[in-house]
Amino acid sequence: MATYEECLKIVRDVLGDQLEPGKTADEKDALVADLGMGSLQMLELVVEIEDLLDISLPLNQLPEIQTVEDFARMLESVSAGSSQ
Amino acid sequence: MSLFDKFAPLSNLRSDLLEHGILPFGVVTEKILSPTEGIVDGRRTILAGTNNYLGLTFAPECVEAARKALSEEGTGTTGSRMANGTYGAHAALERELAEFFDREHALVFTTGFLATMGMVSTLAGRGDVLLIDADSHASIYDGCRLSGAEVIRFRHNDPKDLDKRLGRLGDRSGNTLVVAEGLYSMLGDQAPLQEIVDVKDKHGAILLLDEAHSMGVFGDRGRGLAEAAEVEDRVDFVVGTFSKSLGSVGGFCVSNHPELELVRMAARSYIFTASPTPSVVASTRAALKMISDHPELRDRLWDNSRQLYDTLARAGFQLGPQPGPVVAVFVDDPKRAVSWWHRLLEQGVYVNLVIPPATPSTSCLLRCSISAAHTREQVDRISEAFVSLLPKRQAAGSAV
């Protein structure tokens, strides 16, 4: 089970690899509006993080992810469920 | 803020495309001349984007069967399969499909989309898991939405990723429906079916395979990729369509699971829509017989497909990964893709223009689908039209 802070760090690290050089992802940033993520980039982001945490994120829940924080909170919740 | 604000991006796209003249989406075939030719924009045009793989839309056997049914049974059934819309011919088609696929049960739907969407949304429900290939068709995604099940994607054509994700589900893999397609319609790539069935059996999951683009195309008897991969007995449910190799419209599911009969009483897309018309059922039955009786149609389809794929590959086009009846040409620049699509049409060749997000990558596609009914000369003309798009110095080599 990963804590919120650990999940946030994972999201920011993986995002950092995908964003333009010099750009960073802050907790409150919106993935599309602020960071310019397209749908294919989002898919790649999700798959990479799933592999890192060894979890599968339900597709039905992905539209709820608007910000970096949303993503980290969802990861925290799913990883808690998968470790029970 | 308006109800219609969400259409703004589509409106902009439509305006951009209309600047070039005819709209690539929804091209009007003013007159259809044969399975492979029509009049488009006033010009005699080779149709190379119709999914009419075996070219049966004008087969005399099919046309005559439809004409006879139209005269004898009327223009429509005006009712659902559950109510008054099941005629003797619907039941006969189901028996013939079951026999064709060597399965116990068959169900006929009104379109292929409704068949796939209905089966996915009915087989999986709340508390179940749908594990679908990431590049699945819209009918599968819509079925997922309607199901109420938890939906997880696995990487396209990646049995190792499927294995990993089924493993993560633990005991829940037993109530998981894995969904894959035989031939993927955009790039024309084939599922690694042997590995997929090994993985789903290892975890005790159920597999639904969509053979919409592979029925009539693969296998000694034309039953699809499962037949060609020799895994038919390990595929739980096969869905497909009548609107490609069978040259009509409609859809089906076949299975040995007796529960398929119960789907008749549960699938909303089966219950709440009118059944296929008698003429459609009649031409489909005739076409199904032709698939069995004329294996040479498949040979011709594959000869034509290889001819186009090899020629375009030699010319330096970046293509889908495997030769087959879907030949997808990648074009990175959307403006160039639209321009090329128009130039092909001006030369009398119609193909499909596909732009993201309908494509599995950020590239656009000029997607060709080849038919057994294309002549060698027509395939040559399609190739020549593509090659003419390349700058002369490039025509001999580099990728687009």
Side-chain angles (χ1 to χ4, degrees):
Chain A
M1 176 180 167
T3 65
Y4 172 73
E5 282 69 29
E6 287 167 338
C7 293
L8 181 62
K9 183 175 183 318
I10 288 170
V11 176
R12 292 186 64 187
D13 286 351
V14 175
L15 266 170
D17 295 340
Q18 294 196 2
L19 296 174
E20 290 167 22
K23 216 171 178 182
T24 55
D26 294 325
E27 187 177 8
K28 299 293 177 190
D29 279 343
L31 292 162
V32 176
D34 296 324
L35 302 176
M37 300 286 287
S39 55
L40 281 171
Q41 278 178 299
M42 280 293 289
L43 181 60
E44 279 307 310
L45 176 70
V46 168
V47 167
E48 202 167 323
I49 289 177
E50 284 176 327
D51 281 349
L52 276 171
L53 290 175
D54 195 24
I55 56 171
S56 294
L57 291 174
L59 191 60
N60 336 35
Q61 292 180 23
L62 296 186
E64 291 167 23
I65 302 174
Q66 300 291 322
T67 64
V68 173
E69 182 185 359
D70 293 341
F71 206 156
R73 294 218 179 276
M74 179 173 293
L75 291 178
E76 181 192 14
S77 148
V78 172
S79 76
S82 67
S83 62
Q84 282 169 358
Chain B
M1 188 75 178
S2 145
L3 183 70
F4 304 125
D5 285 351
K6 64 176 90 58
F7 295 115
L10 280 179
S11 174
N12 294 338
L13 173 66
R14 189 171 186 273
S15 301
D16 289 348
L17 290 170
L18 277 171
E19 273 179 23
H20 293 79
I22 190 171
L23 190 67
F25 309 121
V27 166
V28 177
T29 304
E30 290 137 16
K31 186 170 167 51
I32 185 80
L33 303 172
S34 75
T36 59
E37 273 196 313
I39 305 292
V40 179
D41 205 19
R43 193 182 299 109
R44 198 173 182 99
T45 300
I46 298 172
L47 303 174
T50 61
N51 302 324
N52 193 354
Y53 298 124
L54 300 182
L56 295 183
T57 46
F58 282 78
E61 297 91 329
C62 300
V63 172
E64 187 46 41
R67 201 194 312 269
K68 188 165 180 290
L70 185 63
S71 300
E72 294 177 1
E73 298 179 63
T75 54
T77 66
T78 72
S80 154
R81 294 292 314 273
M82 273 284 269
N84 62 298
T86 295
Y87 291 3
H90 294 91
L93 175 55
E94 286 178 343
R95 280 196 303 275
E96 287 156 10
L97 279 166
E99 201 175 303
F100 177 80
F101 282 99
D102 196 18
R103 302 267 178 165
E104 293 291 321
H105 308 278
L107 221 62
V108 165
F109 291 78
T110 305
T111 71
F113 192 104
L114 292 178
T116 310
M117 187 185 73
M119 288 307 302
V120 169
S121 61
T122 307
L123 287 175
R126 206 163 293 282
D128 299 326
V129 181
L130 279 160
L131 194 36
I132 67 171
D133 186 287
D135 284 3
S136 288
H137 188 261
S139 56
I140 294 170
Y141 274 101
D142 283 4
C144 289
R145 281 188 188 185
L146 291 171
S147 70
E150 183 175 321
V151 183
I152 296 169
R153 286 184 289 205
F154 63 94
R155 282 192 174 99
H156 175 54
N157 273 352
D158 188 339
K160 280 191 185 145
D161 194 50
L162 174 63
D163 186 27
K164 200 164 54 186
R165 288 170 191 275
L166 277 166
R168 284 173 191 157
L169 289 170
D171 292 344
R172 296 182 72 202
S173 61
N175 62 327
T176 296
L177 181 69
V178 175
V179 184
E181 299 178 32
L183 181 78
Y184 284 84
S185 64
M186 286 296 110
L187 300 186
D189 47 339
Q190 301 159 27
L193 266 190
Q194 182 72 58
E195 293 93 327
I196 286 176
V197 296
D198 285 347
V199 168
K200 76 95 188 172
D201 282 348
K202 174 181 154 190
H203 293 278
I206 298 281
L207 174 64
L208 180 141
L209 179 68
D210 185 350
E211 298 260 30
H213 289 265
S214 35
M215 179 193 182
V217 170
F218 292 96
D220 289 343
R221 284 158 291 198
R223 301 206 297 223
L225 196 65
E227 184 193 4
E230 300 179 350
V231 295
E232 285 179 291
D233 56 337
R234 297 164 70 193
V235 175
D236 299 274
F237 294 91
V238 172
V239 291
T241 179
F242 304 150
S243 62
K244 295 177 172 64
S245 287
L246 291 166
S248 65
V249 65
F252 68 89
C253 179
V254 294
S255 177
N256 285 330
H257 289 281
E259 289 78 9
L260 185 60
E261 292 300 330
L262 302 175
V263 170
R264 287 184 200 276
M265 300 161 75
R268 297 168 68 83
S269 69
Y270 177 87
I271 299 169
F272 296 104
T273 192
S275 63
T277 64
S279 57
V280 160
V281 172
S283 77
T284 303
R285 292 177 66 191
L288 191 62
K289 187 166 183 316
M290 288 193 73
I291 289 187
S292 295
D293 293 349
H294 296 281
E296 72 279 7
L297 290 171
R298 271 187 298 291
D299 296 339
R300 216 177 299 153
L301 170 65
W302 277 95
D303 285 348
N304 285 344
S305 302
R306 287 193 193 96
Q307 186 191 342
L308 181 67
Y309 189 94
D310 292 347
T311 309
L312 297 188
R314 274 198 305 273
F317 286 98
Q318 188 193 340
L319 305 177
Q322 288 166 293
V326 173
V327 180
V329 176
F330 287 86
V331 187
D332 287 337
D333 177 7
K335 282 190 176 155
R336 182 192 284 176
V338 173
S339 160
W340 279 10
W341 182 86
H342 281 280
R343 286 173 61 191
L344 288 170
L345 196 62
E346 284 159 17
Q347 295 183 66
V349 174
Y350 168 77
V351 301
N352 307 126
L353 171 67
V354 194
I355 59 177
T359 60
S361 70
T362 52
S363 289
C364 297
L365 298 176
L366 293 171
R367 175 190 178 274
C368 310
S369 54
I370 292 304
S371 172
H374 280 123
T375 63
R376 281 259 147 182
E377 293 69 30
Q378 286 176 324
V379 179
D380 283 342
R381 278 189 52 204
I382 298 165
S383 308
E384 286 159 16
F386 267 98
V387 171
S388 77
L389 302 170
L390 296 172
K392 285 202 168 47
R393 61 188 161 73
Q394 197 182 335
S398 63
V400 179

